[in-house]
Amino acid sequence: MPCSADPGAPPQAASSQDGIDHWRRRLDCAFAPVQSVFAARLQAAQACLGEADLAAYIEAARFLCKLGRGAQPVLAFLEAWPAVAPRLGPEHLATIMGWVRHIQRTPNGDVLGVFFETLPALVDSLGHDAPLPAYLDLLAEVAGRSTTSIHGRHAILPSHVLPELIRVAPKRLRQVRLEGLRKWVEHGLRHYAGNPQRQADYLAMRSADSQAIFQRQRRGVLLRTHERQLELYLRALWDDPRPLIPYSEAFDHLRRPQPYADALGLHLPDLCVDRDGVYGAGHYRLILAHLATHRRFSEALVADNWSPFQRLAIEWFEDARIDTLLLRRFPGLRKPLLALHPHPREEACDPARESCIRHRLAMLSRAILDPGHGYHDPLLRKFVGDFQDRLADGDGDTQGMAALATEYVIQTRLPSDTFARIHFTDTEVPYRDDNRHLWRFIDVGEEADDVAAAPETIVEGPSIIYHYPEWDYLARDYLPDHVTLHEHLHPRGRADEIERLLQKNAPLARRLTRILDQIKPQDRERLRRKEDGSELDLDWALRSWIDYRCRHTVDPRINQGFRHARRDVAVSLLLDLSASLRDPVRGGHADQTVFSLAQEAVTLLAWAIDRLGDPFAIAGFHSNTRHEARFWHIKGFSEAWNDDVRGRLAAMQVGYSTRMGVALRHAGHYLLQPRKDKRLLLILTDSQPSDLDVSDPEFLIADTRQAVRELERKGIYCHCISLDARADDYVRRIFGQHFSIIDRIERLPERLPEIFLALTA
């Protein structure tokens, strides 16, 4: 918003030497750099501010000069405030100076210069949806939480985080709202508390965590939320089965990436914002339609045959042909296509000062697609007519567009086309790709990087790596890809060890056999009192005959049928293999540990489930920080209860910690595969969720509770069997009423199968 002179300005506000001297005395600042620029800054301020606001402006500069922070804050303020006051409102000056006084009382006063330098860009980024006081409150909170102390002396060292946040805030606020910025900053402060350098790296976006958390806060439509619908759209309308691969636009500083197609699939931005009345999902559909039409109608050309200017023109002409063919097939796309296509002003580019080749091509493309373009250039209108003539009797071809584009470059080329300064305003078409598929290169060494190695599952030795989110209960949001889970096939031991355990518990096994025989489904189950059946039910037939002779209403259900009885249950047994299972059993034998009893109990349970015929899986888990959660595959649903499985069960080892939420999510992933009416996930553990890198005990408890809720929504029933006598404090908060506590651990081999049978009977 331009400034204009205030008609109510006093005589001394005039740009006379007396007026300048008056305000210079009011400023009372002896810094030579300030004095040298004061007259120019005062003149800019007089054009924007009234008498009272101008006096407040000079008083604020005077205050900054007396802070003892040097000339930089004063210079930055004198330059910034006249530029932002018309947009922000002069009344916000008092709010800003209040924040300055607060920061000055901390060791962070050196950030004032940076703050005022970034203030104009910040105001542009905030727009009208976020007030400046909320941003200042965020900075004050960050300063208080990241200022460190030594040996109990409060606030000795300045914050490493605050200067970095102030520098990046204008750019970040163009990508996320203020609330999203607050959530992103909160994660860095809380999870890297006590490590100022890691916090600074986080805000500078130098860590994968920072980028992942920031991605979740960006505003717009995420590709992953519409991926399935877009794949179906691509298959149904274009018969194109290629996968959709996201890329991010949030962290590219030099060149904004564009959609493109290669041997791997279609690469799309991970997020599309609503723009020009086109919803983000509609933007995605337009990108896919353009790429799919390219695949059907475009052919590759030898790039070495044309100059860079000619290649650029060929791409614009070919894109215009593709869009024309697209609108012929789907006329309803015209409105969103023209809404996203720029409409440059004819006089917007000055050929005496900058290169206008992109500007001319953008106007030509718009004129081809929009009959009401309004351009008057005769050469532009001539080539629009030539383009339409080539497509009048058919679809045209890429070679024809290349010839037309070459002729266009010859007739429209200007000396300024070689200028380094290029006019880009209103020349980017957001739904178009980068056209790398149009070119092939004779020299393999110069070939475009079209084909990359096919993505493979990340394998580290015998393990497969997965990434899972974790629930942050304070932020009430997921930390994306926060945990790295390594899945291993457990090494095999001696299967006869499991047979020895079964023989040791032979009396218990015989008792379980009697129970299993009672609940095990029989081969056939009789269904009585049916109107249609394979046999006559003599009892009900005789009763109906008596009713008939007594002239009563006859019940026609005199037949019986049979069906095969079955148990429609799938079971996954998840074992906590953390180091605490090495503890000896109180009152037990000297060599008896919690782990040895758990091994016996799991052996008996697996034997019992196998006798029942239910499909079941067994896995163990432990963790060594979030970067190394281990998931040990012992038995899968498709594997039989054989020596291989018994050997893995015999070779189980314990160690490390108990990060339970990620293990539940991974076990639930496999439990969804069997098509059963009931899916049961049994968790055997001896302690609450914990890990070395988590200082807040509530964090992993809340994440495990969230994982249980996720599985319940998917139809998986979770039941925890805890060996911790003090588990009531946390296990109820995680599993609700679905838990059992075994106080006498020596009874575990007996109680575990009983609990399972009670849950599945």
Side-chain angles (χ1 to χ4, degrees):
M1 174 180 175
C3 297
S4 58
D6 189 342
Q12 64 267 28
S15 56
S16 64
Q17 188 60 43
D18 291 343
I20 294 174
D21 292 341
H22 167 76
W23 291 115
R24 196 187 301 274
R25 288 192 297 271
R26 291 277 298 269
L27 178 64
D28 189 21
C29 185
F31 291 122
V34 175
Q35 293 296 330
S36 64
V37 301
F38 178 71
R41 300 290 176 259
L42 179 63
Q43 185 177 6
Q46 288 169 345
C48 301
L49 305 174
E51 178 185 3
D53 295 330
L54 184 63
Y57 168 67
I58 297 298
E59 183 60 31
R62 181 178 184 276
F63 175 76
L64 292 171
C65 189
K66 305 301 182 183
L67 287 182
R69 299 291 178 181
Q72 183 193 11
V74 189
L75 291 170
F77 172 76
L78 288 173
E79 181 177 3
W81 186 247
V84 302
R87 291 173 287 168
L88 194 60
E91 65 276 5
H92 280 84
L93 180 59
T95 304
I96 292 176
M97 296 312 296
W99 177 82
V100 168
R101 291 184 179 88
H102 170 75
I103 292 297
Q104 172 63 15
R105 292 193 293 268
T106 73
N108 300 297
D110 289 340
V111 304
L112 295 177
V114 179
F115 171 79
F116 286 115
E117 287 173 359
T118 60
L119 187 59
L122 175 76
V123 173
D124 289 339
S125 300
L126 280 174
H128 300 288
D129 59 346
L132 180 66
Y135 171 72
L136 298 179
D137 290 343
L138 174 61
L139 295 185
E141 180 183 350
V142 170
R145 294 177 59 180
S146 60
T147 302
T148 56
S149 60
I150 300 177
H151 302 306
R153 297 178 62 190
H154 180 63
I156 298 300
L157 299 179
S159 169
H160 285 69
V161 176
L162 188 61
E164 189 63 41
L165 175 60
I166 293 174
R167 290 188 187 96
V168 303
K171 179 178 180 180
R172 301 294 172 235
L173 285 171
R174 286 194 292 270
Q175 299 165 332
V176 301
R177 288 185 167 85
L178 183 60
E179 185 58 32
L181 182 73
R182 179 181 291 277
K183 288 183 178 180
W184 174 63
V185 172
E186 168 68 22
H187 181 274
L189 292 179
R190 187 153 46 84
H191 288 271
Y192 298 115
N195 194 328
Q197 187 57 50
R198 293 288 298 277
Q199 289 179 339
D201 289 343
Y202 177 90
L203 290 183
M205 212 75 86
R206 289 191 287 265
S207 69
D209 271 359
S210 176
Q211 297 183 13
I213 297 297
F214 187 80
Q215 284 282 67
R216 292 185 64 87
Q217 310 305 328
R218 291 169 62 202
R219 48 191 170 192
V221 173
L222 289 173
L223 175 61
R224 67 168 179 263
T225 61
H226 291 74
E227 184 173 2
R228 182 58 179 163
Q229 295 94 319
L230 293 173
E231 287 179 345
L232 293 174
Y233 165 82
L234 196 62
R235 288 173 179 267
L237 297 185
W238 301 99
D239 192 24
D240 195 334
R242 288 180 291 177
L244 308 182
I245 305 170
Y247 62 81
S248 176
E249 296 179 335
F251 316 112
D252 294 275
H253 305 290
L254 298 179
R255 182 181 182 274
R256 180 185 175 195
Q258 292 179 268
Y260 63 95
D262 64 9
L264 300 180
L266 304 180
H267 298 254
L268 307 179
D270 61 341
L271 178 141
C272 275
V273 298
D274 303 349
R275 56 186 298 173
D276 301 317
V278 180
Y279 183 54
H283 190 172
Y284 274 127
R285 287 192 287 270
L286 201 54
I287 295 174
L288 290 178
H290 183 84
L291 286 169
T293 312
H294 259 307
R295 186 186 191 191
R296 179 168 296 185
F297 295 103
S298 295
E299 59 180 303
L301 305 173
V302 179
D304 305 75
N305 295 340
W306 284 279
S307 70
F309 284 164
Q310 290 172 335
R311 290 206 299 268
L312 179 64
I314 290 170
E315 290 178 2
W316 279 91
F317 272 87
E318 180 68 0
D319 279 334
R321 180 178 78 95
I322 292 302
D323 288 345
T324 302
L325 299 178
L326 177 62
L327 294 179
R328 284 182 182 177
R329 183 174 181 182
F330 300 107
L333 291 177
R334 179 176 297 276
K335 183 177 179 180
L337 186 145
L338 292 180
L340 292 178
H341 194 293
H343 195 166
R345 292 184 299 108
E346 200 163 359
E347 68 282 359
C349 183
D350 182 4
R353 299 174 56 250
E354 54 189 350
S355 171
C356 296
I357 186 169
R358 288 183 59 89
H359 177 257
R360 296 197 303 271
L361 289 169
M363 288 196 302
L364 177 69
S365 176
R366 178 75 190 201
I368 289 172
L369 300 174
D370 181 10
H373 54 80
Y375 297 132
H376 304 289
D377 180 25
L379 204 54
L380 180 145
R381 288 176 170 271
K382 170 186 177 301
F383 276 95
V384 169
D386 293 346
F387 177 91
Q388 293 171 347
D389 291 343
R390 286 181 178 268
L391 271 70
D393 299 327
D395 298 333
D397 56 26
T398 308
Q399 292 286 353
M401 291 298 103
L404 187 60
T406 304
E407 183 65 25
Y408 176 82
V409 170
I410 294 172
Q411 294 193 31
T412 63
R413 185 158 185 175
L414 300 173
S416 61
D417 289 347
T418 59
F419 286 2
R421 183 176 180 179
I422 302 173
H423 183 87
F424 280 98
T425 305
D426 288 338
T427 63
E428 296 184 52
V429 186
Y431 63 84
R432 289 180 178 173
D433 61 301
D434 64 2
N435 286 310
R436 65 179 65 187
H437 56 85
L438 279 181
W439 307 109
R440 55 188 177 89
F441 294 80
I442 297 175
D443 185 355
V444 178
E446 299 177 0
E447 185 171 351
D449 187 17
D450 288 347
V451 182
E456 300 179 356
T457 303
I458 305 173
V459 177
E460 179 185 285
S463 70
I464 302 176
I465 293 179
Y466 300 85
H467 298 283
Y468 280 95
E470 273 192 331
W471 178 255
D472 185 341
Y473 75 101
L474 292 176
R476 301 187 63 80
D477 199 0
Y478 287 98
L479 307 177
D481 297 338
H482 194 63
V483 185
T484 303
L485 182 137
H486 303 252
E487 181 181 344
H488 303 259
L489 179 64
H490 202 290
R492 181 180 172 183
R494 297 179 55 184
D496 56 357
E497 291 291 330
I498 299 301
E499 296 297 333
R500 183 185 61 80
L501 292 178
L502 288 173
Q503 293 174 6
K504 175 184 175 182
N505 292 277
L508 180 56
R510 286 193 294 270
R511 184 152 62 92
L512 286 174
T513 300
R514 292 193 295 271
I515 300 175
L516 294 173
D517 290 340
Q518 294 175 5
I519 67 172
K520 186 175 182 180
Q522 304 300 316
D523 291 338
R524 300 177 73 197
E525 180 182 355
R526 185 169 64 168
L527 303 175
R528 306 188 66 180
R529 299 191 67 184
K530 297 175 66 68
E531 290 191 30
D532 297 318
S534 59
E535 296 180 8
L536 190 67
D537 189 335
L538 294 179
D539 292 340
W540 287 99
L542 180 60
R543 179 172 296 184
S544 296
W545 174 253
I546 294 172
D547 290 339
Y548 172 75
R549 296 303 301 267
C550 295
R551 301 181 183 274
H552 294 164
T553 302
V554 177
D555 188 346
R557 296 174 295 175
I558 60 174
N559 296 309
Q560 64 180 358
F562 299 90
R563 70 180 178 187
H564 292 284
R566 62 189 179 93
R567 284 166 52 87
D568 204 17
V569 179
V571 183
S572 180
L573 181 58
L574 189 59
L575 310 177
D576 175 8
L577 299 180
S578 59
S580 56
L581 268 73
R582 294 197 190 104
D583 297 342
V585 177
R586 293 181 181 178
H589 300 294
D591 59 344
Q592 194 174 48
T593 63
V594 177
F595 172 68
S596 63
L597 283 175
Q599 195 173 36
E600 291 183 27
V602 172
T603 299
L604 280 168
L605 178 59
W607 172 82
I609 299 175
D610 182 63
R611 289 287 300 269
L612 283 172
D614 295 337
F616 70 103
I618 305 174
F621 72 95
H622 56 213
S623 62
N624 181 24
T625 75
R626 69 184 181 90
H627 301 291
E628 192 180 347
R630 299 286 174 178
F631 188 92
W632 296 97
H633 172 92
I634 298 172
K635 181 189 179 301
F637 287 105
S638 60
E639 292 181 279
W641 175 248
N642 52 28
D643 285 347
D644 287 339
V645 173
R646 288 191 283 266
R648 296 177 203 142
L649 193 59
M652 286 194 308
Q653 300 291 329
V654 296
Y656 303 115
S657 303
T658 312
R659 207 174 195 110
M660 192 179 297
V662 63
L664 288 175
R665 292 183 177 97
H666 197 61
H669 163 72
Y670 287 116
L671 191 51
L672 285 173
Q673 297 175 8
R675 295 185 177 181
K676 298 294 179 181
D677 291 339
K678 186 173 184 179
R679 299 182 178 93
L680 174 63
L681 179 54
L682 283 177
I683 305 99
L684 179 62
T685 181
D686 72 325
S687 60
Q688 73 179 46
S690 62
D691 209 342
L692 297 175
D693 59 340
V694 179
S695 57
D696 181 2
E698 185 63 29
F699 180 83
L700 290 181
I701 291 177
D703 174 64
T704 307
R705 179 171 63 245
Q706 186 70 12
V708 170
R709 291 174 180 172
E710 294 168 16
L711 296 177
E712 287 175 350
R713 288 194 291 266
K714 296 176 181 178
I716 296 176
Y717 178 86
C718 299
H719 190 92
C720 177
I721 302 169
S722 178
L723 308 180
D724 184 1
R726 297 166 294 182
D728 297 84
D729 181 46
Y730 60 86
V731 73
R732 192 181 303 275
R733 287 190 287 144
I734 296 175
F735 296 95
Q737 302 298 324
H738 308 311
F739 69 92
S740 304
I741 297 178
I742 301 179
D743 296 328
R744 296 176 58 187
I745 299 178
E746 65 274 10
R747 294 190 58 200
L748 178 61
E750 174 186 352
R751 292 283 293 126
L752 184 59
E754 291 177 352
I755 292 171
F756 164 74
L757 295 175
L759 292 173
T760 59

